[in-house]
């Protein structure tokens, strides 16, 4: 996988993100993508080759490996990183759609005409797109953590597994290569994923609370304007009576 191209695509998301979104993007690249590319891929390497069973029965080691490792950690994390960053492209595509509408509007009404004050500002439909992308990202993170938890029994990697799956002649002992190192990387990646979930939740709360505060200020200003209008109307009525 070309992670440099992946990073270049996501770097455009940064300018449309909030402070929480920028921290999330930094965590994804520094603590997940970089660790995945530099270290995790090398630690796992050829997993099946490092899975050693104390039997020479043909097919036994392959069947036992498939039984205990139905999904490779490294491939599951690659899928997780791809899926969890895809919702961010929704925001980029929405901004591109706004830019296209703005260009067509200016071509029709002149360069001084404006359809949007700022195409990248999170108002209207773009705010909803951004919020939905956060919910989708959080759901994907939680789903992948649940899959990893269910498949690997609370993210635990034992040194030794006992296998009785056919065609093994009896119970055989199978040993996992680099179990401690793999366990450390598993906990690290799970922790980074949990941190990303927390950041997404914080950003959701921030966006919603900011929207509520803005709506409350609008209502206050509207009520203040109505009060002023009523006050001036009463004064004008009193003045008209006085003149009469």
């Amino acid at each position: 996988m070309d992670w440099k191209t992946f990073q270049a695509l996501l770097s455009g998301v940064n300018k449309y993100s909030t402070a929480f979104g920028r921290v999330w993007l930094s965590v994804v690249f520094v603590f997940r993508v970089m660790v995945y590319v530099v270290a995790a891929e090398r630690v796992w390497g050829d997993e099946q080759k490092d899975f050693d069973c104390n039997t020479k029965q043909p097919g036994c080691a392959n069947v036992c490996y498939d039984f205990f490792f139905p999904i490779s950690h490294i491939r599951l994390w690659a899928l997780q990183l791809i899926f969890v960053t895809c919702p961010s492209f929704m925001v980029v595509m929405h901004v591109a759609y706004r830019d296209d509408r703005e260009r067509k509007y200016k071509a029709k009404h002149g360069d001084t005409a404006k359809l949007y004050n700022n195409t990248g500002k999170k108002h209207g439909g773009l705010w909803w797109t951004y919020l939905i992308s956060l919910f989708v990202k959080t759901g994907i993170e939680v789903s992948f953590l649940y899959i990893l938890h269910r498949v690997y029994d609370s993210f635990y990697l034992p040194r030794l597994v006992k296998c009785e799956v056919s065609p093994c002649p009896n119970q055989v002992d199978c040993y996992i290569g680099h179990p401690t190192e793999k366990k450390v990387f598993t906990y690290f990646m799970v922790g980074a994923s949990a941190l990303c979930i927390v950041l997404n939740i914080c950003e959701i709360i921030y966006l919603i609370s900011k929207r509520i505060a803005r709506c409350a200020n609008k209502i206050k200003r509207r009520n203040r304007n109505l009060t002023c209008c009523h006050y001036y109307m009463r004064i004008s009525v009193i003045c008209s009576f006085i003149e009469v």
Side-chain angles (χ1 to χ4, degrees), residues 11 15 37-38 61 69-70 94-95 150 160 168-169 173 214 227:
S11 60
K15 58 184 175 181
V37 173
V38 174
F69 297 97
H94 197 139
V95 174
R150 290 286 296 176
L160 169 69
C168 298
D173 295 335
R214 189 184 294 119
T227 304

Side-chain angles (χ1 to χ4, degrees), residues 1-240:
M1 180 180 291
D2 190 356
W3 292 107
K4 289 183 180 179
T5 306
F6 188 66
Q7 183 177 1
L9 287 171
L10 271 181
S11 60
V13 182
N14 199 36
K15 58 184 175 181
Y16 308 122
S17 302
T18 64
F20 289 107
R22 293 187 184 98
V23 174
W24 176 86
L25 203 60
S26 301
V27 170
V28 167
F29 280 118
V30 176
F31 293 105
R32 298 178 75 175
V33 174
M34 291 296 292
V35 170
Y36 177 91
V37 173
V38 174
E41 278 187 320
R42 295 179 183 179
V43 170
W44 260 261
D46 190 353
E47 301 173 70
Q48 196 164 352
K49 186 178 178 181
D50 296 332
F51 190 78
D52 188 27
C53 298
N54 61 352
T55 180
K56 297 299 181 182
Q57 176 71 25
C60 179
N62 291 338
V63 171
C64 288
Y65 177 81
D66 184 67
F67 179 78
F68 287 104
F69 297 97
I71 304 173
S72 169
H73 282 74
I74 212 73
R75 292 178 181 85
L76 188 66
W77 287 333
L79 280 175
Q80 183 179 7
L81 287 171
I82 292 169
F83 277 105
V84 86
T85 49
C86 280
S88 299
F89 294 122
M90 293 166 57
V91 179
V92 177
M93 288 188 291
H94 197 139
V95 174
Y97 167 73
R98 280 186 165 190
D99 288 336
D100 185 59
R101 285 193 66 193
E102 183 75 16
R103 181 181 57 79
K104 290 179 179 178
Y105 188 81
K106 284 184 176 181
K108 186 176 181 180
H109 298 89
D111 291 337
T112 55
K114 274 191 173 184
L115 188 60
Y116 302 100
N117 291 327
N118 184 357
T119 55
K121 199 167 183 64
K122 290 183 286 296
H123 285 308
L126 186 60
W127 185 88
W128 284 105
T129 302
Y130 195 92
L131 188 67
I132 290 169
S133 72
L134 290 175
F135 278 109
V136 173
K137 283 192 290 187
T138 306
I140 291 170
E141 293 277 22
V142 172
S143 299
F144 272 94
L145 283 181
Y146 178 75
I147 291 170
L148 197 64
H149 171 78
R150 290 286 296 176
V151 171
Y152 294 109
D153 190 20
S154 302
F155 319 114
Y156 180 72
L157 277 177
R159 297 174 184 271
L160 169 69
V161 291
K162 296 185 179 294
C163 182
E164 298 179 281
V165 184
S166 178
C168 298
N170 48 35
Q171 188 181 75
V172 297
D173 295 335
C174 296
Y175 301 91
I176 300 170
H178 312 290
T180 304
E181 202 171 8
K182 289 179 179 178
K183 191 187 301 182
V184 169
F185 275 105
T186 300
Y187 287 147
F188 182 86
M189 295 297 277
V190 168
S193 183
L195 177 59
C196 288
I197 291 172
V198 172
L199 289 171
N200 286 335
I201 293 172
C202 290
E203 192 169 13
I204 289 170
I205 294 170
Y206 169 76
L207 285 174
I208 293 175
S209 59
K210 192 176 178 181
R211 185 66 174 263
I212 291 171
R214 189 184 294 119
C215 291
N217 288 332
K218 283 183 180 179
I219 292 170
K220 282 182 181 179
R221 282 198 298 269
R222 190 181 303 159
N223 291 337
R224 194 182 298 120
N225 291 335
L226 287 173
T227 304
C228 290
C229 287
H230 290 155
Y231 177 74
Y232 287 127
M233 285 178 65
R234 287 175 184 175
I235 289 177
S236 62
V237 169
I238 292 171
C239 290
S240 63

